[in-house]
Amino acid sequence: MTSTSKKIRWGILGPGNIAKSFAGGLAQSRNGELVALGARNPGKPGLAEMFPGARILDGYDALLADDGVDAVYISTPHPGHAEWAIKAAEAGKHVLCEKPLALTAFEADAMMHAARKAGTFLGEAFMYRLHPQTLKLVELVKSGVIGEVRMIKSSFGFAMPGFMPQHRLYANELAGGGILDVGGYPVSMARLIAGATAGKLFLEPDKVVGAAHLGQSGVDEWASALLTFANGIVAEVSCSISLNQDNVLRIFGTKGQIEVPDFWFAGGNRDIGPGRIDVIRSGAEREVISLNETRHLYSFEVDAAGEAILAGRQEFAWPGMDWADSLGTLRVLDRWRAAVGLEYEIEKPAKRVNTISGRPLRTGGTAIGKRAIPGLPRQASRLALGFEDFRTFSSGSILLDAYFEAGGNLFDTGFVYGAGYTETLLGQWLKNRGVREQSVIIAKGAHSPLCYPDVIGKQLAQSLDRLQTDHVDIYFMHRDNPDVPVGEFVDAMDQEAKAGRIRGLFGGSNWTMERMDEAIAYAERTGKQKPGALSNNFSLAEMLEPIWAGCITSSTDVWKAWLTARQMPNFAWSSQGRGFFTDRAGRDRTDNEELVRVWYSEKNFGRRDRAIELARKLGKSPIHVALAYVLAQPFPSVPLIGPRTLDELEDSLKALDIALTPEDLQWLDNGPERRRA
């Protein structure tokens, strides 16, 4: 489709009541037309009458394969949103997806990643955001008609006739309950109004406190949350599927308040929302502002999506919800759910057996190459993945799947990471995906203050239980304790190697070269397995002060000479300088205390300058050059990377395209002569 097309040809993926309403909006839109419907049961009576003029196709895949469809509207139950939005983007289709965009912000990010790569539009169908009432409401708040906003109260609650286990709102397998189904409305509105008071498109809360009643099917039947914002605004939001609420948005200011009934329908229904806003000034009568809209409620979002698509934009224009806005709302819902302990069965390992795209995990990826490391029976990927930030299987598996499918098989864990959850998550994933024998696990233990030889075996036993395996491939003592003779640590690790619980390398993380030399000499004298690897900080920027107590950098010239002479493998943490090679750092940027304290020196800035220069020549980013520097060392050097999103993972892989010469390394380190032509 070209930008000269007059109409966006829409297909609906998943028939239902809300899809019928969307079709009504399409019929009154300026730039869209309904051409097709993808249905799991295309022979269902009444489809042709509900969706007049649409070709009824057999299944969702048929809709995505239809060349006569430009964009799809996804109205399946919540768990299908991510899968079909990703598949639609891969098929080159633009997507308008019903709210919630996904079950979590992590899923939504994966959807955005797919759309970004495909160059397609992706929007979340909060239809109220495109109705003129919303823009008028923001204008009133900004005008100061009620003074300074102090508090927001909003609810979206209704009562079903009774507990109906097969209904999607009560079905755990369909992610039922109020928080995901309707909680996003008051949350997104509160963020919008809080942002308006601060002169921003939206504002994120600093704190989210949630409560809920989880019913017999495990979904939230009624729930409330308290959001506090940095500008002092407090928002009370609530939702329910088993309890009627007043469903009025109230905005309280120092000079009065604003009330909007049923703001998501603009005071109407799924067909027409006339738009009404009540302004109640202190000591004055209620003023009713009526917008008197007569267009179909859904036509506004249809046209807004169409305008974005025709203009080549991938996101809604404000006041529609762009990607950052959708992610912000979902992050609040994630925190709300976490506060009340709401995790659906479909998010747990037993049910989450495929990747986010709905497909089985693929093997044989080659984007991340592998290398042999002395003492390691299995080849390991050139980049090791750390994933300490994830707290659910559904969120962490997205990144783990993508890394593995790219060819990665080296996973960095630690006994203390996430209070043990990082190991648990990896164990669940390895078992669920059936790839333990293809994977290389790095484990760490004996962190301060429990840095003693007799702790190693006890913690390793717990780690193996969490990891659901009988051995790890690489083991590091997480810290050293110089008060303990090094031989006692070697004995403890050698014992685990002989027992088969370490089947590869062991060594120290944050150990000095003197202690490593001493440990190796002890092992050689006593016939024990020698420590064969380090996991110290190593990067193009030299760590000036320890990031955390007890940390050791190996980036100095003396260290590099020792590592090269020993041919000692080093699994480098903070290999990209923790943001030093991004625009977060700079000689004139001193707002980040850690960056300033740990990395700021003229020598490091010189290296950063040269990384920027080389990156420009190569068409890369300085952070890619910094990572390539670690990979190109004359000793086995394996960077540990910790991406939080698929975009960050994919960006890191760009460093693998850079082949630095020894002359490049010398120039990046010390300058000033340029070696690369």
Side-chain angles (χ1 to χ4, degrees), residues 1 8-14 19 22-23 26 32-39 55 57 59-76 80-98 101 111 115 120-125 301-302 305-306 309 316:
M1 186 187 66
I8 306 296
R9 298 170 298 176
W10 285 91
I12 292 178
L13 194 151
F22 179 77
L26 264 173
E33 61 179 342
L34 178 60
V35 298
L37 170 75
R55 291 177 285 110
L57 304 179
Y60 303 160
D61 287 310
L63 181 67
L64 300 186
D66 194 308
D67 291 336
V69 174
D70 304 314
V72 296
Y73 169 73
I74 297 176
S75 57
T76 64
H81 289 182
E83 174 185 346
W84 290 106
I86 291 171
K87 288 179 176 177
E90 291 172 348
K93 308 296 186 189
H94 304 287
V95 172
L96 178 62
C97 184
E98 257 309 316
L101 188 61
M111 296 161 68
T120 52
F121 172 84
L122 172 66
E124 186 172 18
E301 72 173 5
V302 172
I309 293 169
F316 271 125

Side-chain angles (χ1 to χ4, degrees), residues 17 62 96 247 287 351 537:
N17 288 331
L96 178 62
N247 297 339
E287 176 188 356
K351 296 289 182 70
N537 165 252

Side-chain angles (χ1 to χ4, degrees), residues 491-637:
D491 289 343
M493 290 187 283
D494 176 74
Q495 182 177 335
E496 297 302 327
K498 286 184 168 58
R501 301 205 297 181
I502 302 173
R503 300 183 191 174
L505 300 170
F506 63 71
S509 176
N510 297 296
W511 274 36
T512 65
M513 67 179 74
E514 291 79 14
R515 285 281 278 187
M516 280 294 290
D517 282 336
E518 187 181 350
I520 292 169
Y522 171 84
E524 290 174 339
R525 288 196 311 271
T526 59
K528 305 292 175 65
Q529 178 174 326
K530 293 188 292 186
L534 273 168
S535 183
N536 284 2
N537 165 252
F538 186 91
S539 71
L540 176 56
E542 184 179 328
M543 188 173 71
L544 308 176
E545 290 187 18
I547 300 174
W548 303 286
C551 289
I552 299 292
T553 181
S554 296
S555 300
T556 66
D557 291 339
V558 173
W559 260 110
K560 281 181 280 192
W562 183 90
L563 289 166
T564 302
R566 282 279 193 185
Q567 283 299 292
M568 179 66 66
N570 184 54
F571 295 78
W573 55 265
S574 292
S575 56
Q576 294 166 295
R578 296 177 66 81
F580 181 71
F581 293 94
T582 71
D583 57 8
R584 290 172 51 206
R587 289 176 175 85
D588 59 343
R589 303 201 63 173
T590 58
D591 54 314
N592 188 302
E593 182 275 334
E594 181 188 285
L595 281 175
V596 173
R597 175 176 59 86
V598 177
W599 309 106
Y600 277 30
S601 71
E602 193 50 44
K603 186 175 183 180
N604 278 341
F605 274 118
R607 290 164 171 165
R608 185 176 183 272
D609 292 340
R610 291 187 287 275
I612 292 172
E613 179 183 337
L614 182 55
R616 286 174 179 161
K617 180 178 178 63
L618 298 175
K620 301 288 186 179
S621 296
I623 198 168
H624 302 144
V625 173
L627 190 57
Y629 171 87
V630 178
L631 287 162
Q633 292 302 310
F635 54 87
S637 179

Side-chain angles (χ1 to χ4, degrees), residues 451-471:
C451 191
Y452 298 98
D454 62 346
V455 170
I456 292 173
K458 297 173 185 176
Q459 289 188 347
L460 181 56
Q462 292 184 61
S463 293
L464 294 176
D465 183 62
R466 294 167 180 167
L467 291 163
Q468 301 186 57
T469 185
D470 61 353
H471 73 282

